[in-house]
Amino acid sequence: MTIIGVSLLVMIVGAIAALFLYKPAAEDSLRQKSPGLFALLASKLWIDEIYLYYVGKVQQRFAMLLDFLEQVFLSGLIIRGLAGVVGFIGMGARALHVGNLHVYVYWFFLGVVLFWAYAAGVF
């Protein structure tokens, strides 16, 4: 309870001292003494203008370039290209499996001949 009382007393004394030391005036004396500082602060150091230029010119164009590259290379060549290759391999594999026993025997003989050629050192 003592800490709260002391804290409130310090706060009240500080508020009264600030009221007497920094009493409101008709004109700001600091603004009259240094008008350049207030002009600089009023410009906000041109942070908004610099940020809008950066976002509008640099960042937006870089994002558009990355989007173009992503659409052409990633989505276009890699994803769709690989999907086409896999589809083509699937069509070829589907042609091999026709459901006919005679065709499977021929494929078996072709495999035996290729295996024999490999074992003989033909390729």
Side-chain angles (χ1 to χ4, degrees):
M1 194 64 161
T2 306
I3 295 175
I4 294 175
V6 171
S7 298
L8 286 174
L9 180 66
V10 168
M11 184 183 70
I12 292 170
V13 168
I16 292 170
L19 184 62
F20 283 117
L21 292 174
Y22 301 106
K23 51 187 154 197
E27 293 183 15
D28 190 5
S29 62
L30 185 59
R31 180 175 285 211
Q32 293 171 352
K33 290 178 186 174
S34 59
L37 176 67
F38 278 93
L40 183 64
L41 292 177
S43 70
K44 298 175 285 185
L45 299 175
W46 302 282
I47 298 293
D48 292 339
E49 289 80 9
I50 293 169
Y51 177 77
L52 289 176
Y53 174 80
Y54 170 74
V55 169
K57 301 289 183 186
V58 178
Q59 184 179 358
Q60 186 64 27
R61 291 186 183 175
F62 184 66
M64 289 170 59
L65 172 70
L66 289 180
D67 181 57
F68 173 75
L69 293 175
E70 189 268 335
Q71 293 294 325
V72 170
F73 291 108
L74 290 179
S75 295
L77 297 177
I78 294 174
I79 302 298
R80 292 189 182 118
L82 288 178
V85 168
V86 169
F88 184 70
I89 292 171
M91 285 175 36
R94 186 175 21 184
L96 295 176
H97 301 286
V98 293
N100 190 348
L101 183 62
H102 298 289
V103 174
Y104 295 147
V105 170
Y106 291 132
W107 281 116
F108 175 76
F109 283 138
L110 177 67
V112 168
V113 168
L114 289 175
F115 182 70
W116 175 78
Y118 178 74
V122 174
F123 49 82

